[in-house]
Amino acid sequence: MKAIATNKAPGAIGPYSQAIEVGNLVYTSGQLPIDPATGSFPEGGIKEQTRQSLLNVKSILEAAGTGMQNVVKTTVFMADMNDFADMNGVYAEFFAEPFPARSAVAVKTLPKGALVEIEVVAEK
């Protein structure tokens, strides 16, 4: 088991790793839409937050020596399921066929009042 860390994504603010590599799989922690350069959410709404969350995932996967094309499973946590179509439109910009398996769930609240948080499992 190997911890993955990069300064191109928000650092862990608790007792967890940005990602863990086990065998040929990389498991990312949920990525909030925090811009690592500013420490803030991007201005806008669900589209901008989804893009930032996925950019954070992408940076972590690249630090692990893999990429978005190797993602096999995603989990999308959303504060409001009414944002699904807008989230999905941005999400589609990051993945190509064969698309990864996905779960998308609405939750009561997300840390820091985020609209979205995304975690993935990728193959190396």
Side-chain angles (χ1 to χ4, degrees), residues 2-42:
K2 174 183 169 187
I4 304 298
T6 178
N7 61 4
K8 294 182 180 178
I13 55 173
Y16 63 92
S17 300
Q18 286 175 324
I20 292 291
E21 180 181 327
V22 179
N24 69 334
L25 295 175
V26 176
Y27 298 82
T28 70
S29 290
Q31 292 302 300
L32 293 172
I34 297 172
D35 182 332
T38 66
S40 301
F41 293 157

Side-chain angles (χ1 to χ4, degrees), residues 33-77:
I34 297 172
D35 182 332
T38 66
S40 301
F41 293 157
E43 289 191 26
I46 189 67
K47 290 180 181 180
E48 293 79 9
Q49 288 197 19
T50 300
R51 184 170 285 105
Q52 186 63 57
S53 288
L54 288 167
L55 288 171
N56 293 342
V57 166
K58 183 176 186 249
S59 292
I60 293 167
L61 292 178
E62 287 171 354
T66 188
M68 300 297 274
Q69 73 279 4
N70 292 325
V71 172
V72 296
K73 173 72 168 76
T74 68
T75 305
V76 179
F77 303 95

Side-chain angles (χ1 to χ4, degrees), residues 67-118:
M68 300 297 274
Q69 73 279 4
N70 292 325
V71 172
V72 296
K73 173 72 168 76
T74 68
T75 305
V76 179
F77 303 95
M78 298 173 49
D80 186 347
M81 197 54 80
N82 290 319
D83 288 336
F84 183 84
D86 286 337
M87 175 281 298
N88 203 47
V90 174
Y91 178 98
E93 297 171 13
F94 285 80
F95 297 102
E97 290 190 35
F99 298 112
R102 178 176 74 183
S103 299
V105 296
V107 296
K108 186 174 179 182
T109 57
L110 288 166
K112 299 183 178 270
L115 301 176
V116 65
E117 181 176 1
I118 301 172

